[in-house]
Short mmCIF file of all heavy atoms in Angstrom, two decimals:
data_model
loop_
_atom_site.label_atom_id
_atom_site.label_comp_id
_atom_site.label_asym_id
_atom_site.label_seq_id
_atom_site.Cartn_x
_atom_site.Cartn_y
_atom_site.Cartn_z
N MET A 198 0.78 -1.15 0.01
CA MET A 198 -0.02 0.02 -0.02
C MET A 198 0.92 1.23 -0.04
O MET A 198 1.74 1.39 0.71
CB MET A 198 -0.90 0.00 1.26
CG MET A 198 -1.78 1.19 1.34
SD MET A 198 -2.87 0.91 2.73
CE MET A 198 -3.38 2.52 3.11
N HIS A 199 0.58 2.20 -0.83
CA HIS A 199 1.34 3.44 -0.95
C HIS A 199 0.65 4.59 -0.30
O HIS A 199 -0.57 4.75 -0.51
CB HIS A 199 1.61 3.74 -2.38
CG HIS A 199 2.38 5.05 -2.57
ND1 HIS A 199 3.67 5.16 -2.22
CD2 HIS A 199 1.91 6.20 -3.06
CE1 HIS A 199 4.09 6.40 -2.48
NE2 HIS A 199 3.02 7.09 -3.00
N THR A 200 1.31 5.34 0.56
CA THR A 200 0.60 6.52 1.12
C THR A 200 1.49 7.78 0.78
O THR A 200 2.69 7.63 0.59
CB THR A 200 0.59 6.48 2.66
OG1 THR A 200 1.90 6.32 3.20
CG2 THR A 200 -0.29 5.31 3.11
N SER A 201 0.87 8.85 0.54
CA SER A 201 1.53 10.06 0.15
C SER A 201 2.06 10.69 1.30
O SER A 201 1.63 10.52 2.44
CB SER A 201 0.57 10.96 -0.61
OG SER A 201 -0.45 11.49 0.28
N SER A 202 3.03 11.65 1.16
CA SER A 202 3.64 12.44 2.20
C SER A 202 2.60 13.27 2.89
O SER A 202 2.66 13.53 4.15
CB SER A 202 4.85 13.23 1.75
OG SER A 202 4.38 14.15 0.85
N THR A 203 1.55 13.75 2.25
CA THR A 203 0.54 14.61 2.98
C THR A 203 -0.33 13.74 3.81
O THR A 203 -0.74 14.24 4.88
CB THR A 203 -0.39 15.30 1.89
OG1 THR A 203 -0.90 14.35 1.04
CG2 THR A 203 0.42 16.31 1.12
N GLU A 204 -0.56 12.51 3.48
CA GLU A 204 -1.29 11.60 4.35
C GLU A 204 -0.47 11.32 5.66
O GLU A 204 -0.95 11.35 6.72
CB GLU A 204 -1.62 10.29 3.62
CG GLU A 204 -2.66 10.46 2.63
CD GLU A 204 -2.97 9.16 1.83
OE1 GLU A 204 -2.06 8.32 1.80
OE2 GLU A 204 -4.13 8.98 1.36
N ASN A 205 0.82 11.13 5.48
CA ASN A 205 1.71 10.86 6.61
C ASN A 205 1.77 11.99 7.62
O ASN A 205 1.84 11.88 8.76
CB ASN A 205 3.12 10.45 6.23
CG ASN A 205 3.13 9.03 5.65
OD1 ASN A 205 2.30 8.27 5.97
ND2 ASN A 205 4.06 8.76 4.82
N SER A 206 1.79 13.22 7.04
CA SER A 206 1.88 14.42 7.91
C SER A 206 0.69 14.68 8.72
O SER A 206 0.77 15.16 9.83
CB SER A 206 2.22 15.70 7.00
OG SER A 206 1.08 16.01 6.28
N THR A 207 -0.47 14.26 8.21
CA THR A 207 -1.76 14.39 9.12
C THR A 207 -1.78 13.32 10.22
O THR A 207 -2.43 13.52 11.23
CB THR A 207 -2.91 14.28 8.27
OG1 THR A 207 -2.97 12.96 7.62
CG2 THR A 207 -3.08 15.39 7.20
N LEU A 208 -1.04 12.23 10.04
CA LEU A 208 -1.05 11.22 11.01
C LEU A 208 -0.06 11.52 12.20
O LEU A 208 -0.27 11.04 13.28
CB LEU A 208 -0.69 9.86 10.50
CG LEU A 208 -1.74 9.30 9.49
CD1 LEU A 208 -1.13 7.92 8.82
CD2 LEU A 208 -3.03 9.06 10.09
N SER A 209 1.08 12.13 11.88
CA SER A 209 2.00 12.49 12.92
C SER A 209 2.32 13.99 12.95
O SER A 209 3.17 14.47 12.19
CB SER A 209 3.20 11.64 12.78
OG SER A 209 3.80 11.93 11.46
N PRO A 210 1.54 14.73 13.68
CA PRO A 210 1.74 16.20 13.76
C PRO A 210 3.16 16.55 14.27
O PRO A 210 3.72 15.88 15.11
CB PRO A 210 0.78 16.77 14.71
CG PRO A 210 0.31 15.58 15.55
CD PRO A 210 0.58 14.33 14.69
N THR A 211 3.80 17.68 13.71
CA THR A 211 5.08 17.99 14.12
C THR A 211 5.06 18.97 15.30
O THR A 211 4.09 19.70 15.41
CB THR A 211 5.87 18.67 13.04
OG1 THR A 211 5.11 19.78 12.56
CG2 THR A 211 6.12 17.78 11.81
N LEU A 212 5.93 18.93 16.11
CA LEU A 212 6.05 19.78 17.32
C LEU A 212 6.72 21.11 16.96
O LEU A 212 7.82 20.97 16.25
CB LEU A 212 6.73 19.14 18.53
CG LEU A 212 6.01 17.91 19.07
CD1 LEU A 212 6.94 17.24 20.13
CD2 LEU A 212 4.58 18.20 19.61
N GLN A 213 6.36 22.21 17.35
CA GLN A 213 7.01 23.43 17.17
C GLN A 213 7.96 23.72 18.40
O GLN A 213 7.51 24.15 19.40
CB GLN A 213 6.02 24.60 17.04
CG GLN A 213 5.06 24.45 15.81
CD GLN A 213 5.75 24.49 14.52
OE1 GLN A 213 6.71 25.30 14.34
NE2 GLN A 213 5.40 23.65 13.58
N THR A 214 9.22 23.42 18.20
CA THR A 214 10.22 23.64 19.26
C THR A 214 11.35 24.46 18.78
O THR A 214 11.56 24.60 17.62
CB THR A 214 10.72 22.27 19.79
OG1 THR A 214 11.37 21.61 18.71
CG2 THR A 214 9.66 21.42 20.47
N HIS A 215 12.01 24.99 19.76
CA HIS A 215 13.22 25.87 19.46
C HIS A 215 14.09 25.91 20.67
O HIS A 215 13.61 25.62 21.80
CB HIS A 215 12.80 27.24 19.01
CG HIS A 215 12.26 28.14 20.05
ND1 HIS A 215 10.95 28.10 20.39
CD2 HIS A 215 12.81 28.95 20.84
CE1 HIS A 215 10.74 28.92 21.37
NE2 HIS A 215 11.83 29.54 21.73
N GLU A 216 15.41 26.26 20.50
CA GLU A 216 16.24 26.50 21.63
C GLU A 216 16.06 27.96 22.13
O GLU A 216 16.09 28.82 21.33
CB GLU A 216 17.67 26.22 21.25
CG GLU A 216 18.67 26.41 22.36
CD GLU A 216 20.02 26.04 21.99
OE1 GLU A 216 20.25 25.31 20.97
OE2 GLU A 216 20.90 26.52 22.70
N HIS A 217 15.70 28.05 23.36
CA HIS A 217 15.38 29.35 23.89
C HIS A 217 16.60 30.21 23.95
O HIS A 217 17.72 29.78 24.19
CB HIS A 217 14.80 29.29 25.33
CG HIS A 217 13.49 28.65 25.46
ND1 HIS A 217 12.41 29.08 25.02
CD2 HIS A 217 13.13 27.44 25.96
CE1 HIS A 217 11.33 28.38 25.26
NE2 HIS A 217 11.84 27.26 25.82
N ALA A 218 16.46 31.50 23.61
CA ALA A 218 17.46 32.56 23.70
C ALA A 218 17.15 33.46 24.89
O ALA A 218 16.35 34.36 24.71
CB ALA A 218 17.55 33.35 22.36
N TRP A 219 17.65 33.08 26.09
CA TRP A 219 17.30 33.82 27.32
C TRP A 219 17.97 35.14 27.36
O TRP A 219 19.10 35.27 27.26
CB TRP A 219 17.73 32.92 28.50
CG TRP A 219 17.05 31.54 28.57
CD1 TRP A 219 17.64 30.37 28.43
CD2 TRP A 219 15.61 31.25 28.78
NE1 TRP A 219 16.68 29.41 28.50
CE2 TRP A 219 15.54 29.94 28.66
CE3 TRP A 219 14.47 32.11 28.91
CZ2 TRP A 219 14.24 29.26 28.89
CZ3 TRP A 219 13.30 31.57 29.12
CH2 TRP A 219 13.18 30.13 29.05
N LEU A 220 17.10 36.18 27.65
CA LEU A 220 17.52 37.56 27.91
C LEU A 220 17.24 37.84 29.34
O LEU A 220 16.05 37.57 29.78
CB LEU A 220 16.80 38.53 27.01
CG LEU A 220 16.91 38.32 25.48
CD1 LEU A 220 16.01 39.26 24.74
CD2 LEU A 220 18.37 38.49 25.09
N ILE A 221 18.07 38.50 30.04
CA ILE A 221 17.93 38.92 31.35
C ILE A 221 17.03 40.14 31.50
O ILE A 221 17.34 41.19 30.88
CB ILE A 221 19.23 39.15 32.22
CG1 ILE A 221 20.10 37.83 32.17
CG2 ILE A 221 19.01 39.63 33.65
CD1 ILE A 221 21.47 38.00 32.65
N GLU A 222 15.90 39.96 32.20
CA GLU A 222 14.95 41.15 32.41
C GLU A 222 15.26 41.90 33.66
O GLU A 222 15.10 43.10 33.68
CB GLU A 222 13.47 40.70 32.41
CG GLU A 222 13.06 40.18 31.05
CD GLU A 222 11.53 40.00 30.92
OE1 GLU A 222 11.00 39.46 31.94
OE2 GLU A 222 10.94 40.43 30.03
N SER A 223 15.72 41.12 34.68
CA SER A 223 16.03 41.67 36.01
C SER A 223 16.94 40.70 36.77
O SER A 223 16.88 39.56 36.46
CB SER A 223 14.67 41.91 36.76
OG SER A 223 14.94 42.45 38.01
N ALA A 224 17.78 41.28 37.62
CA ALA A 224 18.70 40.41 38.37
C ALA A 224 18.92 40.96 39.76
O ALA A 224 18.77 42.23 39.93
CB ALA A 224 20.07 40.40 37.80
N HIS A 225 18.90 40.16 40.79
CA HIS A 225 18.95 40.64 42.20
C HIS A 225 19.94 39.69 42.95
O HIS A 225 19.84 38.51 42.88
CB HIS A 225 17.56 40.50 42.88
CG HIS A 225 16.54 41.27 42.05
ND1 HIS A 225 16.29 42.58 42.17
CD2 HIS A 225 15.57 40.82 41.23
CE1 HIS A 225 15.28 42.86 41.34
NE2 HIS A 225 14.83 41.83 40.83
N ARG A 226 20.84 40.39 43.63
CA ARG A 226 21.79 39.51 44.49
C ARG A 226 21.11 39.09 45.81
O ARG A 226 20.39 39.82 46.43
CB ARG A 226 22.97 40.40 44.80
CG ARG A 226 23.85 40.66 43.66
CD ARG A 226 25.03 41.49 44.08
NE ARG A 226 25.77 41.88 42.83
CZ ARG A 226 27.12 41.62 42.69
NH1 ARG A 226 27.78 41.04 43.57
NH2 ARG A 226 27.57 42.01 41.51
N THR A 227 21.37 37.82 46.07
CA THR A 227 20.83 37.25 47.34
C THR A 227 21.96 36.44 48.06
O THR A 227 23.04 36.40 47.48
CB THR A 227 19.64 36.22 47.02
OG1 THR A 227 20.30 35.02 46.36
CG2 THR A 227 18.53 36.82 46.16
N SER A 228 21.71 35.96 49.27
CA SER A 228 22.75 35.22 49.86
C SER A 228 23.10 33.84 49.18
O SER A 228 24.10 33.40 49.46
CB SER A 228 22.27 34.93 51.37
OG SER A 228 21.06 34.20 51.35
N ASP A 229 22.20 33.40 48.37
CA ASP A 229 22.47 32.15 47.58
C ASP A 229 23.14 32.39 46.29
O ASP A 229 23.53 31.39 45.60
CB ASP A 229 21.12 31.44 47.42
CG ASP A 229 20.62 30.88 48.69
OD1 ASP A 229 21.39 30.43 49.55
OD2 ASP A 229 19.36 30.86 48.85
N GLY A 230 23.22 33.58 45.81
CA GLY A 230 23.71 33.97 44.47
C GLY A 230 22.84 35.07 43.82
O GLY A 230 22.06 35.70 44.49
N THR A 231 23.04 35.21 42.59
CA THR A 231 22.21 36.23 41.84
C THR A 231 21.10 35.52 41.22
O THR A 231 21.23 34.60 40.47
CB THR A 231 23.12 36.88 40.74
OG1 THR A 231 24.29 37.50 41.37
CG2 THR A 231 22.29 37.97 40.03
N VAL A 232 19.85 36.04 41.56
CA VAL A 232 18.64 35.57 40.94
C VAL A 232 18.38 36.30 39.63
O VAL A 232 18.43 37.53 39.51
CB VAL A 232 17.43 35.73 41.89
CG1 VAL A 232 16.15 35.24 41.24
CG2 VAL A 232 17.65 34.93 43.19
N LEU A 233 18.12 35.61 38.54
CA LEU A 233 17.94 36.21 37.24
C LEU A 233 16.53 35.89 36.74
O LEU A 233 16.05 34.78 36.81
CB LEU A 233 18.95 35.61 36.21
CG LEU A 233 20.49 35.62 36.59
CD1 LEU A 233 21.31 34.76 35.69
CD2 LEU A 233 20.88 37.14 36.53
N TYR A 234 15.83 36.95 36.41
CA TYR A 234 14.51 36.79 35.77
C TYR A 234 14.67 36.92 34.25
O TYR A 234 15.10 37.94 33.80
CB TYR A 234 13.54 37.83 36.28
CG TYR A 234 13.29 37.73 37.77
CD1 TYR A 234 14.13 38.31 38.63
CD2 TYR A 234 12.26 36.96 38.23
CE1 TYR A 234 13.97 38.25 40.05
CE2 TYR A 234 12.02 36.76 39.67
CZ TYR A 234 12.95 37.48 40.55
OH TYR A 234 12.72 37.28 41.87
N VAL A 235 14.50 35.80 33.57
CA VAL A 235 14.84 35.72 32.15
C VAL A 235 13.61 35.49 31.33
O VAL A 235 12.56 34.99 31.71
CB VAL A 235 15.92 34.64 31.86
CG1 VAL A 235 17.21 35.05 32.52
CG2 VAL A 235 15.47 33.25 32.23
N ARG A 236 13.71 35.95 30.03
CA ARG A 236 12.63 35.76 29.07
C ARG A 236 13.19 35.29 27.69
O ARG A 236 14.23 35.90 27.27
CB ARG A 236 11.86 37.10 28.78
CG ARG A 236 10.77 36.98 27.72
CD ARG A 236 10.15 38.41 27.66
NE ARG A 236 11.02 39.47 27.36
CZ ARG A 236 11.52 39.77 26.20
NH1 ARG A 236 11.22 39.11 25.17
NH2 ARG A 236 12.37 40.78 26.07
N CYS A 237 12.51 34.39 27.00
CA CYS A 237 13.07 33.94 25.67
C CYS A 237 12.66 35.00 24.69
O CYS A 237 11.55 35.44 24.65
CB CYS A 237 12.36 32.63 25.30
SG CYS A 237 12.89 32.16 23.61
N ASP A 238 13.68 35.49 23.90
CA ASP A 238 13.48 36.51 22.92
C ASP A 238 12.49 36.07 21.83
O ASP A 238 11.77 36.93 21.25
CB ASP A 238 14.83 36.99 22.37
CG ASP A 238 14.78 38.22 21.52
OD1 ASP A 238 14.02 39.15 21.89
OD2 ASP A 238 15.38 38.17 20.45
N GLU A 239 12.48 34.80 21.53
CA GLU A 239 11.64 34.33 20.38
C GLU A 239 10.21 34.10 20.74
O GLU A 239 9.27 34.57 20.07
CB GLU A 239 12.27 33.04 19.84
CG GLU A 239 11.48 32.62 18.54
CD GLU A 239 12.25 31.34 17.98
OE1 GLU A 239 13.40 31.19 18.03
OE2 GLU A 239 11.44 30.61 17.30
N CYS A 240 9.93 33.40 21.82
CA CYS A 240 8.55 32.97 22.15
C CYS A 240 7.99 33.63 23.43
O CYS A 240 6.73 33.57 23.70
CB CYS A 240 8.47 31.45 22.30
SG CYS A 240 9.34 30.81 23.77
N GLY A 241 8.81 34.47 24.15
CA GLY A 241 8.28 35.12 25.27
C GLY A 241 8.13 34.32 26.63
O GLY A 241 7.71 34.83 27.59
N THR A 242 8.57 33.01 26.58
CA THR A 242 8.53 32.24 27.77
C THR A 242 9.45 32.83 28.82
O THR A 242 10.49 33.30 28.53
CB THR A 242 9.00 30.80 27.44
OG1 THR A 242 8.12 30.21 26.51
CG2 THR A 242 9.07 29.96 28.63
N ARG A 243 9.02 32.76 30.13
CA ARG A 243 9.74 33.26 31.23
C ARG A 243 10.21 32.17 32.14
O ARG A 243 9.52 31.14 32.25
CB ARG A 243 8.93 34.32 31.93
CG ARG A 243 8.74 35.63 31.19
CD ARG A 243 8.05 36.66 32.05
NE ARG A 243 8.17 37.98 31.46
CZ ARG A 243 7.49 38.48 30.47
NH1 ARG A 243 6.52 37.77 29.99
NH2 ARG A 243 7.73 39.72 30.10
N ARG A 244 11.35 32.50 32.81
CA ARG A 244 11.95 31.54 33.81
C ARG A 244 12.70 32.30 34.82
O ARG A 244 13.16 33.40 34.51
CB ARG A 244 12.80 30.48 32.95
CG ARG A 244 13.30 29.40 33.75
CD ARG A 244 14.08 28.50 32.98
NE ARG A 244 15.45 28.99 32.70
CZ ARG A 244 16.36 28.34 31.97
NH1 ARG A 244 16.08 27.25 31.32
NH2 ARG A 244 17.55 28.91 31.85
N VAL A 245 12.91 31.67 36.00
CA VAL A 245 13.78 32.26 37.01
C VAL A 245 15.03 31.37 37.21
O VAL A 245 14.84 30.18 37.33
CB VAL A 245 13.01 32.44 38.35
CG1 VAL A 245 13.91 33.00 39.46
CG2 VAL A 245 11.87 33.25 38.22
N ASP A 246 16.20 31.95 37.06
CA ASP A 246 17.47 31.19 37.26
C ASP A 246 18.19 31.78 38.47
O ASP A 246 17.94 32.77 38.90
CB ASP A 246 18.33 31.43 36.00
CG ASP A 246 17.83 30.83 34.77
OD1 ASP A 246 16.81 30.12 34.83
OD2 ASP A 246 18.46 30.97 33.69
N ILE A 247 19.20 30.91 38.81
CA ILE A 247 20.20 31.53 39.93
C ILE A 247 21.52 31.21 39.42
O ILE A 247 21.81 30.18 38.85
CB ILE A 247 19.84 30.77 41.32
CG1 ILE A 247 20.68 31.48 42.34
CG2 ILE A 247 20.12 29.35 41.18
CD1 ILE A 247 20.24 31.32 43.72
N ALA A 248 22.43 32.18 39.61
CA ALA A 248 23.86 32.15 39.30
C ALA A 248 24.52 32.03 40.67
O ALA A 248 24.80 33.05 41.25
CB ALA A 248 24.24 33.31 38.47
N ALA A 249 24.74 30.80 41.19
CA ALA A 249 25.30 30.69 42.47
C ALA A 249 26.85 30.97 42.44
O ALA A 249 27.34 31.44 43.48
CB ALA A 249 24.99 29.24 43.00
N ARG A 250 27.48 30.71 41.29
CA ARG A 250 28.93 30.91 41.16
C ARG A 250 29.12 31.64 39.85
O ARG A 250 28.51 31.44 38.89
CB ARG A 250 29.62 29.62 41.16
CG ARG A 250 29.49 28.79 42.45
CD ARG A 250 30.12 27.44 42.41
NE ARG A 250 31.41 27.41 41.68
CZ ARG A 250 32.18 26.33 41.45
NH1 ARG A 250 31.71 25.22 41.90
NH2 ARG A 250 33.26 26.38 40.88
N THR A 251 30.16 32.52 39.95
CA THR A 251 30.50 33.32 38.71
C THR A 251 31.20 32.53 37.61
O THR A 251 31.14 32.89 36.53
CB THR A 251 31.28 34.52 39.08
OG1 THR A 251 32.56 34.15 39.75
CG2 THR A 251 30.66 35.51 39.94
N ASP A 252 31.85 31.38 37.97
CA ASP A 252 32.48 30.54 37.02
C ASP A 252 31.67 29.45 36.39
O ASP A 252 32.10 28.60 35.67
CB ASP A 252 33.77 29.93 37.67
CG ASP A 252 33.45 29.00 38.90
OD1 ASP A 252 32.42 29.14 39.39
OD2 ASP A 252 34.37 28.19 39.20
N MET A 253 30.39 29.44 36.76
CA MET A 253 29.44 28.39 36.22
C MET A 253 28.19 29.04 35.63
O MET A 253 27.85 30.18 36.01
CB MET A 253 28.92 27.52 37.41
CG MET A 253 30.05 26.73 38.08
SD MET A 253 30.75 25.37 37.01
CE MET A 253 29.36 24.32 36.84
N PRO A 254 27.57 28.44 34.59
CA PRO A 254 26.35 29.08 34.05
C PRO A 254 25.23 29.04 35.08
O PRO A 254 25.22 28.11 35.92
CB PRO A 254 26.10 28.18 32.85
CG PRO A 254 26.81 26.96 33.10
CD PRO A 254 28.03 27.24 33.91
N PRO A 255 24.33 29.92 34.90
CA PRO A 255 23.05 29.89 35.83
C PRO A 255 22.28 28.58 35.70
O PRO A 255 22.34 27.96 34.55
CB PRO A 255 22.29 31.11 35.40
CG PRO A 255 23.14 31.98 34.55
CD PRO A 255 24.13 31.06 33.99
N THR A 256 21.53 28.17 36.63
CA THR A 256 20.66 27.09 36.54
C THR A 256 19.20 27.56 36.89
O THR A 256 18.93 28.47 37.57
CB THR A 256 20.98 25.99 37.63
OG1 THR A 256 20.97 26.58 38.93
CG2 THR A 256 22.32 25.42 37.35
N ALA A 257 18.31 26.87 36.25
CA ALA A 257 16.82 27.10 36.38
C ALA A 257 16.38 26.79 37.79
O ALA A 257 16.67 25.70 38.27
CB ALA A 257 16.04 26.49 35.30
N ILE A 258 15.61 27.64 38.42
CA ILE A 258 15.03 27.31 39.69
C ILE A 258 13.50 27.37 39.55
O ILE A 258 12.84 27.17 40.66
CB ILE A 258 15.55 28.26 40.84
CG1 ILE A 258 15.26 29.66 40.61
CG2 ILE A 258 17.01 27.97 41.12
CD1 ILE A 258 15.62 30.61 41.82
N SER A 259 12.96 27.54 38.47
CA SER A 259 11.50 27.51 38.27
C SER A 259 11.23 26.74 36.99
O SER A 259 12.10 26.46 36.16
CB SER A 259 10.97 28.94 38.08
OG SER A 259 11.27 29.50 36.90
N THR A 260 9.95 26.46 36.77
CA THR A 260 9.50 25.90 35.49
C THR A 260 9.32 27.06 34.60
O THR A 260 9.22 28.26 34.94
CB THR A 260 8.27 25.12 35.62
OG1 THR A 260 7.22 26.03 36.13
CG2 THR A 260 8.32 23.94 36.56
N THR A 261 9.27 26.77 33.24
CA THR A 261 9.04 27.76 32.22
C THR A 261 7.58 28.16 32.16
O THR A 261 6.75 27.38 32.36
CB THR A 261 9.52 27.43 30.90
OG1 THR A 261 8.87 26.26 30.48
CG2 THR A 261 11.03 27.21 30.81
N LEU A 262 7.30 29.45 32.07
CA LEU A 262 6.00 29.96 31.98
C LEU A 262 5.72 30.66 30.62
O LEU A 262 6.41 31.57 30.35
CB LEU A 262 5.67 30.98 33.08
CG LEU A 262 5.85 30.42 34.51
CD1 LEU A 262 5.63 31.55 35.48
CD2 LEU A 262 4.76 29.41 34.75
N GLY A 263 4.83 30.10 29.87
CA GLY A 263 4.53 30.73 28.50
C GLY A 263 3.58 31.93 28.66
O GLY A 263 2.87 32.11 29.54
N ASP A 264 3.62 32.83 27.67
CA ASP A 264 2.67 33.92 27.59
C ASP A 264 1.38 33.55 27.06
O ASP A 264 1.11 32.73 26.33
CB ASP A 264 3.27 35.09 26.78
CG ASP A 264 4.34 35.92 27.47
OD1 ASP A 264 4.34 35.74 28.69
OD2 ASP A 264 5.03 36.71 26.86
#
């Protein structure tokens, strides 16, 4: 049996994903490190990160929140 590519595309929808490009909207120093409020430049998703050490990249301390 032969199926066309258009038939296959309706059976398996594609996911719209991308690598977030985080921009810092605000930053505050705390006793645990610097808390960063970040937003993805492309999709507007927001997240809270912490930079506990200056020689390591920040880590997420919240889940992502979409607009």
Side-chain angles (χ1 to χ4, degrees):
M198 178 174 161
H199 176 71
T200 59
S201 70
S202 60
T203 55
E204 287 175 336
N205 287 338
S206 65
T207 59
L208 295 176
S209 58
T211 58
L212 296 174
Q213 298 295 324
T214 60
H215 69 278
E216 185 172 339
H217 294 293
W219 299 113
L220 302 175
I221 299 171
E222 292 189 315
S223 181
H225 308 280
R226 291 183 187 230
T227 69
S228 59
D229 292 325
T231 303
V232 176
L233 307 167
Y234 297 87
V235 297
R236 178 183 52 83
C237 177
D238 189 43
E239 185 175 331
C240 68
T242 297
R243 288 185 162 83
R244 186 175 82 181
V245 179
D246 292 354
I247 189 159
R250 296 175 41 180
T251 58
D252 62 338
M253 298 292 292
T256 55
I258 58 174
S259 72
T260 59
T261 56
L262 300 172
D264 280 347

